[in-house]
Amino acid sequence: MPTRSVKIIQLQHPDTTSYGSSGAGYSSSWFSRLREKMKEMTFFNWVEMFLPCCRWIRTYKWREYLQVDLMAGTTVGIMLVPQAMSYAKLAGLQPIYGLYSGFVPIFIYVIFGSSRQISIGPAALTSLLVSNVLGKIVDSSDALYTELAIVLTLMVGILECIMGLLRLGWLIRFISHSVISGFTTASAIVIGLSQAKYFLGYEIDRSSEIVPIIKSIISGADKFSWPPFVMGSIILAILQTMKHLGKSRKHLKFLRAMGPLTAVILGTSSAKIYHPSSITLVGDIPQGLPSFSIPKGFKHAKSLIPTTLVITGVAILESVGIAKALAAKNGYELDSNQELFGLGAANVLGSFFSAYPTTGSFSRSAVNHENGAKTGLAGVITGIVMCCALLFLTPVFEYIPLCALAAIVISAVISLVDYEEAIFLWRVGKKDFLLWTITAITTLFFGIEIGVLIGVGFSLAFVIHESANPHIAVLGRLPGTTVYRNIQQYPEAYTYNGIVIVRIDSPIYFANTSYIKDRLREYEIVVDKLTRRGPQVGRIYFVVLEMSPVTYIDTGAVQALKELHHEYKSRHIQIAISNPNRNVLLMLSKSGVVELIGKEWYFVRVHDAVQVCLQHVERIKEDHMASGSDSSPEETESSLFKSLLKQRGEDSSVAELESGTNNKPSDLKHSDPLSEPLLFQKS
């Protein structure tokens, strides 16, 4: 059998004494890089870091951007005016507070926010959350209700600013998309049902749970009124038609943004012409801009903390998710932490001008993007439209029917019912579908806060379960190569008698060491049945751990490796480790695991480890045959194994070993320690 010479690459072992200084070196290099970066920053770089708006102001292309920004900002402003009033009613507030929330926060976000297309203002989910928590504390007709909504805005803004400054945006990554989709779907259903009272013509209980709402709707059915139902249904049908045409036909995309304004015009015109007594109107709305005032009602701040956390989480998920998607489409980088700070600043300063919690709106941001918005100037234009509405149009708003505002809310949340996502998850991932279902059901039947907590809890439980039960693969050699891959993924890959090669596909830490050890014990027994090549031996002598995917180990993993080594040693099994990364190898060196296992049993490649182990397996077989039956098999095996492990550098006739055809003892004196065989090819 032909052979070719190849050098077994020696793994470079770090000096254990340098481990402690290595961490310091890494820290010092990090500080040096930071210092160099700060030195390179110009005055304009510093200004842009604190005021992101300067980035687009400095490079603004007036001829290219001005027209599209004006168009987009005006369109979103026309859309926001009726939406803001609708969402304020959903939050249990007077419509004027929706207009206030769509005014000052927009300008603040343009200065401190990093997204150029997102539209800040009232949103359906945050409005429902405000209504849900404040309704349990005080009646919505009480002045304290409004004060608490403004205090809640301040608290949300402070929390968002703190998270942005401490760069804690990564915490939101632990909430899976399935949880968000399930929560949003259930919330949309609750929001839609909560607006039914404006269609039906009678009051229903305010709740974030579906059962009390449905009971209230059924119990008051005798008070049903046809006029608001007919008007609301017609307006809702028109809104949905305009939205569908705007999405499906590019030349009619303006219809999507004009829908809310059309609803207001139709409703107001009908009310002015026919004066229906059974249809409730918005009523008197104060004219003028909001005045500066310090939020009150801090004595109830403690009871608002849970809702502050939930609103912040929902706001971040909605805003940052939308902002990242739009930034990618428009070709610029988005800083999530700067985005958090921008949202926080908008809420903090907005609370001093009577705003309730605001966040990025999916529908308005989509319209802003579709209309070609290029910079934050579009947001400034939207703010100017809101300013004009507050100064000149509030007398007209008095005649808007509440059923028209309810139709706007229902039309907006219908698109949030993400049943297509549920179908996709059922088809692709049952675990994610289960998570979606749990979140949706708990949100519907137990309320928004409980739904979020349970959804996030299950999401984290799944993460912990996956981390504590990592994927572990048994590797085999692909025919014709020196590549080793998962034998379940590549059935043609073959393994060797006496050797099991295992790849651990995760960091190793205290939570998963027991699972890994149990799986290794199983492989020692089960995998031996799969071996098809090499010398015929009766059991496993070597366990090769492929550690290239292991990015981190802790002291629990170190202790587990020590225990595993001693356990294997008692059964005359040797551990070999392949391709540990630098940090893992440093940890093993510092903890003494390298010396315990033996430096000679650390390899750069899996193939190097297999070559060496294969030589020893052949010698064990030969010496066992030569030893005769004078001593017991256990004693012979133990002495042979110990003596052979001292001869790590010698080779054998590897071509015959790998093909499993070597039935005669090898001439070790003439073997080349650097030779590597060509693979045995089947005819």
Side-chain angles (χ1 to χ4, degrees), residues 130 150 297 460 468:
V130 170
I150 296 171
L460 290 175

Side-chain angles (χ1 to χ4, degrees), residues 383-618:
I384 292 173
V385 172
M386 294 298 295
C387 178
C388 294
L390 284 166
L391 289 174
F392 308 114
L393 298 179
T394 51
V396 179
F397 296 157
E398 296 178 15
Y399 299 96
I400 300 175
L402 291 180
C403 61
L405 296 182
I408 293 172
V409 174
I410 294 172
S411 176
V413 300
I414 283 175
S415 59
L416 297 179
V417 180
D418 203 357
Y419 63 90
E420 292 180 353
E421 178 70 11
I423 296 171
F424 171 78
L425 293 175
W426 171 260
R427 191 173 65 251
V428 176
K430 297 296 191 293
K431 186 181 292 184
D432 288 326
F433 175 77
L434 177 63
L435 195 57
W436 187 96
T437 306
I438 290 172
T439 305
I441 290 175
T442 52
T443 302
L444 279 174
F445 290 95
F446 300 103
I448 290 176
E449 288 92 342
I450 295 177
V452 169
L453 291 175
I454 291 178
V456 172
F458 271 93
S459 183
L460 290 175
F462 284 171
V463 170
I464 293 170
H465 178 268
E466 291 296 327
S467 177
N469 298 272
H471 180 263
I472 302 176
V474 176
L475 307 185
R477 184 174 178 178
L478 295 178
T481 71
T482 57
V483 176
Y484 292 77
R485 291 293 183 264
N486 188 345
I487 59 176
Q488 292 184 345
Q489 185 177 1
Y490 297 91
E492 69 273 20
Y494 57 84
T495 57
Y496 292 107
N497 291 307
I499 305 170
V500 60
I501 310 162
V502 179
R503 187 185 68 219
I504 303 169
D505 294 329
S506 79
I508 307 176
Y509 68 113
F510 65 92
N512 61 19
T513 52
S514 296
Y515 175 82
I516 292 172
K517 286 164 65 177
D518 291 342
R519 294 297 300 274
L520 289 175
R521 293 187 189 103
E522 291 176 14
Y523 293 147
E524 184 185 338
I525 300 170
V526 177
V527 175
D528 196 36
K529 299 175 183 178
L530 302 173
T531 55
R532 296 190 295 273
R533 299 289 176 92
Q536 296 296 323
V537 291
R539 67 176 186 85
I540 293 295
Y541 287 96
F542 295 93
V543 175
V544 179
L545 300 180
E546 157 66 309
M547 296 186 72
S548 57
V550 180
T551 56
Y552 163 79
I553 63 171
D554 69 351
T555 53
V558 167
Q559 186 61 34
L561 280 173
K562 290 180 178 179
E563 293 172 0
L564 195 63
H565 169 76
H566 291 304
E567 182 181 330
Y568 279 160
K569 189 176 180 182
S570 66
R571 299 202 301 274
H572 315 305
I573 297 174
Q574 175 65 45
I575 295 177
I577 292 179
S578 166
N579 198 23
N581 70 36
R582 180 177 181 271
N583 292 332
V584 170
L585 194 57
L586 284 171
M587 187 68 170
L588 295 176
S589 298
K590 181 68 176 178
S591 60
V593 175
V594 169
E595 295 296 335
L596 183 67
I597 294 175
K599 285 188 176 182
E600 68 276 13
W601 293 104
Y602 287 77
F603 302 87
V604 173
R605 301 183 302 169
V606 172
H607 188 61
D608 292 342
V610 172
Q611 290 286 96
V612 172
C613 294
L614 200 57
Q615 297 165 13
H616 288 300
V617 171
E618 171 62 12

Side-chain angles (χ1 to χ4, degrees), residues 45-63:
N45 294 139
W46 283 104
V47 172
E48 288 175 358
M49 186 173 73
F50 292 105
L51 299 173
C53 61
C54 295
R55 296 172 190 167
W56 58 264
I57 291 175
R58 202 158 56 92
T59 59
Y60 196 84
K61 300 176 182 178
W62 293 95
R63 292 184 178 180

Side-chain angles (χ1 to χ4, degrees), residues 210-521:
I210 192 171
V211 174
I213 294 176
I214 292 176
K215 282 184 177 179
S216 181
I217 290 173
I218 295 173
S219 63
D222 58 320
K223 303 174 186 175
F224 176 75
S225 176
W226 280 104
F229 180 79
V230 172
M231 179 182 285
S233 299
I234 292 172
I235 291 174
L236 179 59
I238 293 172
L239 282 169
Q240 287 299 102
T241 303
M242 294 179 72
K243 184 188 291 186
H244 174 72
L245 291 173
K247 284 183 177 180
S248 59
R249 302 183 183 181
K250 288 186 178 180
H251 64 284
L252 296 176
K253 64 181 181 180
F254 66 92
L255 290 177
R256 181 180 178 185
M258 295 299 292
L261 180 62
T262 303
V264 168
I265 292 174
L266 288 175
T268 305
S269 301
S270 300
K272 291 278 284 183
I273 294 171
Y274 298 107
H275 304 286
S277 58
S278 57
I279 294 180
T280 308
L281 305 180
V282 168
D284 183 50
I285 296 179
Q287 189 172 7
L289 302 179
S291 58
F292 179 87
S293 61
I294 298 174
K296 304 174 184 177
F298 285 102
K299 62 181 179 180
H300 295 280
K302 188 176 180 180
S303 61
L304 298 178
I305 291 176
T307 305
T308 299
L309 297 173
V310 175
I311 290 179
T312 301
V314 171
I316 292 170
L317 288 170
E318 192 171 2
S319 294
V320 176
I322 298 165
K324 280 189 173 181
L326 294 178
K329 289 182 179 180
N330 288 274
Y332 64 90
E333 291 292 329
L334 183 89
D335 186 346
S336 299
N337 295 295
Q338 182 65 50
E339 189 70 9
L340 278 175
F341 183 79
L343 287 171
N347 277 306
V348 168
L349 295 176
S351 68
F352 292 98
F353 293 91
S354 304
Y356 77 94
T358 58
T359 185
S361 165
F362 180 82
S363 57
R364 294 195 302 272
S365 299
V367 169
N368 206 26
H369 170 69
E370 289 167 4
N371 281 273
K374 297 296 181 183
T375 66
L377 181 61
V380 174
I381 301 301
T382 299
I384 292 173
V385 172
M386 294 298 295
C387 178
C388 294
L390 284 166
L391 289 174
F392 308 114
L393 298 179
T394 51
V396 179
F397 296 157
E398 296 178 15
Y399 299 96
I400 300 175
L402 291 180
C403 61
L405 296 182
I408 293 172
V409 174
I410 294 172
S411 176
V413 300
I414 283 175
S415 59
L416 297 179
V417 180
D418 203 357
Y419 63 90
E420 292 180 353
E421 178 70 11
I423 296 171
F424 171 78
L425 293 175
W426 171 260
R427 191 173 65 251
V428 176
K430 297 296 191 293
K431 186 181 292 184
D432 288 326
F433 175 77
L434 177 63
L435 195 57
W436 187 96
T437 306
I438 290 172
T439 305
I441 290 175
T442 52
T443 302
L444 279 174
F445 290 95
F446 300 103
I448 290 176
E449 288 92 342
I450 295 177
V452 169
L453 291 175
I454 291 178
V456 172
F458 271 93
S459 183
L460 290 175
F462 284 171
V463 170
I464 293 170
H465 178 268
E466 291 296 327
S467 177
N469 298 272
H471 180 263
I472 302 176
V474 176
L475 307 185
R477 184 174 178 178
L478 295 178
T481 71
T482 57
V483 176
Y484 292 77
R485 291 293 183 264
N486 188 345
I487 59 176
Q488 292 184 345
Q489 185 177 1
Y490 297 91
E492 69 273 20
Y494 57 84
T495 57
Y496 292 107
N497 291 307
I499 305 170
V500 60
I501 310 162
V502 179
R503 187 185 68 219
I504 303 169
D505 294 329
S506 79
I508 307 176
Y509 68 113
F510 65 92
N512 61 19
T513 52
S514 296
Y515 175 82
I516 292 172
K517 286 164 65 177
D518 291 342
R519 294 297 300 274
L520 289 175
R521 293 187 189 103

Side-chain angles (χ1 to χ4, degrees), residues 85-126:
M85 292 188 289
S86 304
Y87 292 150
K89 290 298 294 180
L90 174 61
L93 298 164
Q94 293 300 313
I96 188 63
Y97 291 101
L99 297 176
Y100 291 162
S101 301
F103 175 51
V104 172
I106 289 179
F107 292 103
I108 304 302
Y109 178 82
V110 167
I111 297 172
F112 295 103
S114 56
S115 175
R116 302 172 191 177
Q117 283 79 32
I118 198 170
S119 175
I120 296 297
L125 285 179
T126 52

